[in-house]
């Protein structure tokens, strides 16, 4: 089974209540070959919610307690993001999922780059908290630009 970021298959789970529909990925769900997942919702975050960025590093650093996830109003939402990533990993393991296609640039899902933590639209190399947890558990992560099925 393949897991795909829910926002990529048209579910309105993004912080702004929108989605980032990718029709090719949605067709995998429609054919029963993949299922959607949204770690931030699993972590108890609401729709809509404040946008958040990783400050002081990337997802690996958050897992090492060396960086935090802060929303645009300055609230520390690290625990919610970690909880969601742990719950999503658990689902992934129970489903024996070997392939994940996750949204780029997200503080949770991204596997290439993330926003800088300065809330000015700039990005930096690094990965999100869920992607980091998956990689630590030996699970391959793709995004919507580089996936292979
Ligand atoms: Fe949810 Fe990941 Fe999409 Fe963010 S990028 S809305 S955490 S599925």
């Amino acid at each position: 089974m393949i897991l795909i970021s829910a926002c990529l298959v048209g579910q309105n789970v993004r912080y702004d209540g929108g989605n980032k529909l990718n029709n090719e990925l949605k067709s995998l769900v429609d054919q029963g070959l993949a299922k959607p997942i949204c770690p931030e919702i699993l972590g108890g975050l609401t729709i809509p919610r404040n946008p958040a960025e990783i400050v002081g590093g990337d997802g690996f650093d958050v897992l090492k307690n060396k960086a935090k996830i802060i929303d645009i109003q300055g609230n520390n939402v690290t625990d919610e993001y970690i909880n969601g990533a742990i719950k999503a990993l658990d689902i992934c393991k129970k489903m024996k999922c070997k392939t994940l296609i996750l949204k780029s640039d997200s503080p949770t899902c991204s596997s290439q780059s993330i926003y800088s933590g300065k809330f000015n639209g700039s990005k930096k190399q690094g990965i999100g908290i869920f992607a980091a947890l998956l990689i630590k558990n030996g699970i391959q992560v793709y995004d919507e630009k580089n996936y292979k099925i």
Side-chain angles (χ1 to χ4, degrees), residues 4-8 13-15 37-41 49 103-104 106 108-109:
I4 302 176
S5 287
C7 57
L8 288 175
V13 291
R14 296 187 81 227
Y15 73 93
I37 192 163
C38 178
E40 291 177 19
I41 300 307
R49 54 191 174 278
K103 176 73 184 69
S104 58
S106 157
T108 295
C109 287

PDB file of all heavy atoms in Angstrom, residues 4-8 13-15 37-41 49 103-104 106 108-109, ligand 1:
ATOM      1  N   ILE A   4      -0.204   8.642   0.731  1.00  0.00           N
ATOM      2  CA  ILE A   4       0.006   9.922   0.048  1.00  0.00           C
ATOM      3  C   ILE A   4      -0.523  11.046   0.934  1.00  0.00           C
ATOM      4  O   ILE A   4      -1.588  10.905   1.569  1.00  0.00           O
ATOM      5  CB  ILE A   4      -0.737   9.945  -1.310  1.00  0.00           C
ATOM      6  CG1 ILE A   4      -0.257   8.786  -2.199  1.00  0.00           C
ATOM      7  CG2 ILE A   4      -0.525  11.279  -2.015  1.00  0.00           C
ATOM      8  CD1 ILE A   4      -0.992   8.671  -3.531  1.00  0.00           C
ATOM      9  N   SER A   5       0.194  12.151   0.989  1.00  0.00           N
ATOM     10  CA  SER A   5      -0.306  13.318   1.723  1.00  0.00           C
ATOM     11  C   SER A   5      -1.738  13.624   1.287  1.00  0.00           C
ATOM     12  O   SER A   5      -2.016  13.784   0.088  1.00  0.00           O
ATOM     13  CB  SER A   5       0.565  14.545   1.434  1.00  0.00           C
ATOM     14  OG  SER A   5       1.811  14.439   2.074  1.00  0.00           O
ATOM     15  N   ALA A   6      -2.618  13.750   2.278  1.00  0.00           N
ATOM     16  CA  ALA A   6      -4.038  13.933   1.976  1.00  0.00           C
ATOM     17  C   ALA A   6      -4.297  15.179   1.129  1.00  0.00           C
ATOM     18  O   ALA A   6      -5.185  15.190   0.267  1.00  0.00           O
ATOM     19  CB  ALA A   6      -4.821  14.002   3.284  1.00  0.00           C
ATOM     20  N   CYS A   7      -3.503  16.233   1.358  1.00  0.00           N
ATOM     21  CA  CYS A   7      -3.718  17.467   0.588  1.00  0.00           C
ATOM     22  C   CYS A   7      -3.401  17.260  -0.900  1.00  0.00           C
ATOM     23  O   CYS A   7      -3.971  17.940  -1.755  1.00  0.00           O
ATOM     24  CB  CYS A   7      -2.893  18.613   1.166  1.00  0.00           C
ATOM     25  SG  CYS A   7      -1.124  18.297   1.266  1.00  0.00           S
ATOM     26  N   LEU A   8      -2.526  16.299  -1.213  1.00  0.00           N
ATOM     27  CA  LEU A   8      -2.166  16.041  -2.611  1.00  0.00           C
ATOM     28  C   LEU A   8      -3.262  15.291  -3.367  1.00  0.00           C
ATOM     29  O   LEU A   8      -3.257  15.251  -4.594  1.00  0.00           O
ATOM     30  CB  LEU A   8      -0.860  15.237  -2.692  1.00  0.00           C
ATOM     31  CG  LEU A   8       0.426  15.980  -2.340  1.00  0.00           C
ATOM     32  CD1 LEU A   8       1.609  15.014  -2.337  1.00  0.00           C
ATOM     33  CD2 LEU A   8       0.680  17.123  -3.315  1.00  0.00           C
ATOM     34  N   VAL A  13      -7.201  19.745   3.880  1.00  0.00           N
ATOM     35  CA  VAL A  13      -6.606  19.598   5.214  1.00  0.00           C
ATOM     36  C   VAL A  13      -5.454  20.574   5.460  1.00  0.00           C
ATOM     37  O   VAL A  13      -4.859  20.566   6.536  1.00  0.00           O
ATOM     38  CB  VAL A  13      -6.101  18.154   5.443  1.00  0.00           C
ATOM     39  CG1 VAL A  13      -7.272  17.193   5.539  1.00  0.00           C
ATOM     40  CG2 VAL A  13      -5.134  17.723   4.332  1.00  0.00           C
ATOM     41  N   ARG A  14      -5.127  21.413   4.484  1.00  0.00           N
ATOM     42  CA  ARG A  14      -3.998  22.334   4.675  1.00  0.00           C
ATOM     43  C   ARG A  14      -4.322  23.389   5.723  1.00  0.00           C
ATOM     44  O   ARG A  14      -5.488  23.613   6.063  1.00  0.00           O
ATOM     45  CB  ARG A  14      -3.622  23.011   3.356  1.00  0.00           C
ATOM     46  CG  ARG A  14      -3.109  22.037   2.313  1.00  0.00           C
ATOM     47  CD  ARG A  14      -2.594  22.779   1.106  1.00  0.00           C
ATOM     48  NE  ARG A  14      -1.251  23.268   1.313  1.00  0.00           N
ATOM     49  CZ  ARG A  14      -0.843  24.502   1.030  1.00  0.00           C
ATOM     50  NH1 ARG A  14      -1.673  25.394   0.534  1.00  0.00           N
ATOM     51  NH2 ARG A  14       0.401  24.864   1.251  1.00  0.00           N
ATOM     52  N   TYR A  15      -3.307  24.084   6.177  1.00  0.00           N
ATOM     53  CA  TYR A  15      -3.500  25.101   7.222  1.00  0.00           C
ATOM     54  C   TYR A  15      -4.553  26.139   6.820  1.00  0.00           C
ATOM     55  O   TYR A  15      -5.272  26.661   7.662  1.00  0.00           O
ATOM     56  CB  TYR A  15      -2.164  25.788   7.562  1.00  0.00           C
ATOM     57  CG  TYR A  15      -1.676  26.733   6.489  1.00  0.00           C
ATOM     58  CD1 TYR A  15      -1.989  28.089   6.536  1.00  0.00           C
ATOM     59  CD2 TYR A  15      -0.935  26.263   5.411  1.00  0.00           C
ATOM     60  CE1 TYR A  15      -1.564  28.955   5.543  1.00  0.00           C
ATOM     61  CE2 TYR A  15      -0.508  27.121   4.415  1.00  0.00           C
ATOM     62  CZ  TYR A  15      -0.820  28.462   4.486  1.00  0.00           C
ATOM     63  OH  TYR A  15      -0.422  29.318   3.493  1.00  0.00           O
ATOM     64  N   ILE A  37      -3.153  10.376   3.951  1.00  0.00           N
ATOM     65  CA  ILE A  37      -2.823  10.546   5.370  1.00  0.00           C
ATOM     66  C   ILE A  37      -2.422  12.001   5.604  1.00  0.00           C
ATOM     67  O   ILE A  37      -1.762  12.612   4.754  1.00  0.00           O
ATOM     68  CB  ILE A  37      -1.697   9.567   5.796  1.00  0.00           C
ATOM     69  CG1 ILE A  37      -1.567   9.543   7.319  1.00  0.00           C
ATOM     70  CG2 ILE A  37      -0.358   9.928   5.138  1.00  0.00           C
ATOM     71  CD1 ILE A  37      -0.805   8.336   7.836  1.00  0.00           C
ATOM     72  N   CYS A  38      -2.842  12.556   6.746  1.00  0.00           N
ATOM     73  CA  CYS A  38      -2.418  13.906   7.124  1.00  0.00           C
ATOM     74  C   CYS A  38      -1.956  13.894   8.574  1.00  0.00           C
ATOM     75  O   CYS A  38      -2.770  13.912   9.502  1.00  0.00           O
ATOM     76  CB  CYS A  38      -3.547  14.921   6.948  1.00  0.00           C
ATOM     77  SG  CYS A  38      -3.026  16.580   7.475  1.00  0.00           S
ATOM     78  N   PRO A  39      -0.646  13.866   8.797  1.00  0.00           N
ATOM     79  CA  PRO A  39      -0.127  13.812  10.164  1.00  0.00           C
ATOM     80  C   PRO A  39      -0.559  15.000  11.030  1.00  0.00           C
ATOM     81  O   PRO A  39      -0.783  14.822  12.232  1.00  0.00           O
ATOM     82  CB  PRO A  39       1.398  13.798   9.963  1.00  0.00           C
ATOM     83  CG  PRO A  39       1.592  13.262   8.588  1.00  0.00           C
ATOM     84  CD  PRO A  39       0.433  13.760   7.801  1.00  0.00           C
ATOM     85  N   GLU A  40      -0.664  16.170  10.445  1.00  0.00           N
ATOM     86  CA  GLU A  40      -1.017  17.342  11.279  1.00  0.00           C
ATOM     87  C   GLU A  40      -2.426  17.192  11.846  1.00  0.00           C
ATOM     88  O   GLU A  40      -2.676  17.537  13.004  1.00  0.00           O
ATOM     89  CB  GLU A  40      -0.851  18.634  10.470  1.00  0.00           C
ATOM     90  CG  GLU A  40       0.621  18.917  10.177  1.00  0.00           C
ATOM     91  CD  GLU A  40       0.862  20.145   9.316  1.00  0.00           C
ATOM     92  OE1 GLU A  40      -0.026  21.012   9.201  1.00  0.00           O
ATOM     93  OE2 GLU A  40       1.971  20.240   8.743  1.00  0.00           O
ATOM     94  N   ILE A  41      -3.343  16.664  11.076  1.00  0.00           N
ATOM     95  CA  ILE A  41      -4.699  16.434  11.587  1.00  0.00           C
ATOM     96  C   ILE A  41      -4.669  15.311  12.627  1.00  0.00           C
ATOM     97  O   ILE A  41      -5.339  15.393  13.663  1.00  0.00           O
ATOM     98  CB  ILE A  41      -5.664  16.104  10.427  1.00  0.00           C
ATOM     99  CG1 ILE A  41      -5.702  17.273   9.430  1.00  0.00           C
ATOM    100  CG2 ILE A  41      -7.058  15.811  10.959  1.00  0.00           C
ATOM    101  CD1 ILE A  41      -6.002  18.622  10.035  1.00  0.00           C
ATOM    102  N   ARG A  49      -5.682  26.424  10.468  1.00  0.00           N
ATOM    103  CA  ARG A  49      -4.748  26.581  11.586  1.00  0.00           C
ATOM    104  C   ARG A  49      -3.683  27.585  11.168  1.00  0.00           C
ATOM    105  O   ARG A  49      -3.530  27.879   9.974  1.00  0.00           O
ATOM    106  CB  ARG A  49      -4.101  25.256  11.973  1.00  0.00           C
ATOM    107  CG  ARG A  49      -3.423  24.537  10.800  1.00  0.00           C
ATOM    108  CD  ARG A  49      -3.041  23.116  11.182  1.00  0.00           C
ATOM    109  NE  ARG A  49      -2.518  22.333  10.061  1.00  0.00           N
ATOM    110  CZ  ARG A  49      -3.256  21.728   9.157  1.00  0.00           C
ATOM    111  NH1 ARG A  49      -4.558  21.823   9.198  1.00  0.00           N
ATOM    112  NH2 ARG A  49      -2.698  21.024   8.172  1.00  0.00           N
ATOM    113  N   LYS A 103       3.891  15.752   0.521  1.00  0.00           N
ATOM    114  CA  LYS A 103       3.920  17.123  -0.004  1.00  0.00           C
ATOM    115  C   LYS A 103       5.260  17.811   0.278  1.00  0.00           C
ATOM    116  O   LYS A 103       5.728  17.839   1.419  1.00  0.00           O
ATOM    117  CB  LYS A 103       2.776  17.911   0.642  1.00  0.00           C
ATOM    118  CG  LYS A 103       2.726  19.368   0.290  1.00  0.00           C
ATOM    119  CD  LYS A 103       2.245  19.593  -1.122  1.00  0.00           C
ATOM    120  CE  LYS A 103       2.292  21.068  -1.489  1.00  0.00           C
ATOM    121  NZ  LYS A 103       3.662  21.596  -1.606  1.00  0.00           N
ATOM    122  N   SER A 104       5.809  18.416  -0.759  1.00  0.00           N
ATOM    123  CA  SER A 104       7.059  19.166  -0.605  1.00  0.00           C
ATOM    124  C   SER A 104       6.842  20.441   0.216  1.00  0.00           C
ATOM    125  O   SER A 104       5.719  20.955   0.302  1.00  0.00           O
ATOM    126  CB  SER A 104       7.610  19.536  -1.981  1.00  0.00           C
ATOM    127  OG  SER A 104       6.654  20.303  -2.682  1.00  0.00           O
ATOM    128  N   SER A 106       6.544  21.207   3.233  1.00  0.00           N
ATOM    129  CA  SER A 106       5.764  21.205   4.482  1.00  0.00           C
ATOM    130  C   SER A 106       6.677  20.949   5.687  1.00  0.00           C
ATOM    131  O   SER A 106       7.578  20.115   5.613  1.00  0.00           O
ATOM    132  CB  SER A 106       4.715  20.098   4.401  1.00  0.00           C
ATOM    133  OG  SER A 106       4.316  19.694   5.681  1.00  0.00           O
ATOM    134  N   THR A 108       5.946  19.268   8.064  1.00  0.00           N
ATOM    135  CA  THR A 108       5.653  17.879   8.441  1.00  0.00           C
ATOM    136  C   THR A 108       6.100  16.900   7.359  1.00  0.00           C
ATOM    137  O   THR A 108       6.824  15.945   7.618  1.00  0.00           O
ATOM    138  CB  THR A 108       4.135  17.710   8.681  1.00  0.00           C
ATOM    139  OG1 THR A 108       3.767  18.503   9.799  1.00  0.00           O
ATOM    140  CG2 THR A 108       3.776  16.256   8.926  1.00  0.00           C
ATOM    141  N   CYS A 109       5.631  17.125   6.144  1.00  0.00           N
ATOM    142  CA  CYS A 109       5.736  16.109   5.089  1.00  0.00           C
ATOM    143  C   CYS A 109       6.954  16.227   4.172  1.00  0.00           C
ATOM    144  O   CYS A 109       7.314  15.253   3.508  1.00  0.00           O
ATOM    145  CB  CYS A 109       4.476  16.150   4.238  1.00  0.00           C
ATOM    146  SG  CYS A 109       3.010  15.478   5.060  1.00  0.00           S
TER     147      CYS A 109
HETATM  148 FE1  LIG B   1      -1.335  17.389   6.018  1.00  0.00          FE
HETATM  149 FE2  LIG B   1       1.139  16.849   5.102  1.00  0.00          FE
HETATM  150 FE3  LIG B   1      -0.640  18.097   3.540  1.00  0.00          FE
HETATM  151 FE4  LIG B   1       0.412  19.353   5.629  1.00  0.00          FE
HETATM  152  S1  LIG B   1       1.493  18.652   3.821  1.00  0.00           S
HETATM  153  S2  LIG B   1      -1.740  19.347   5.012  1.00  0.00           S
HETATM  154  S3  LIG B   1       0.595  17.652   7.107  1.00  0.00           S
HETATM  155  S4  LIG B   1      -0.811  16.009   4.374  1.00  0.00           S
END
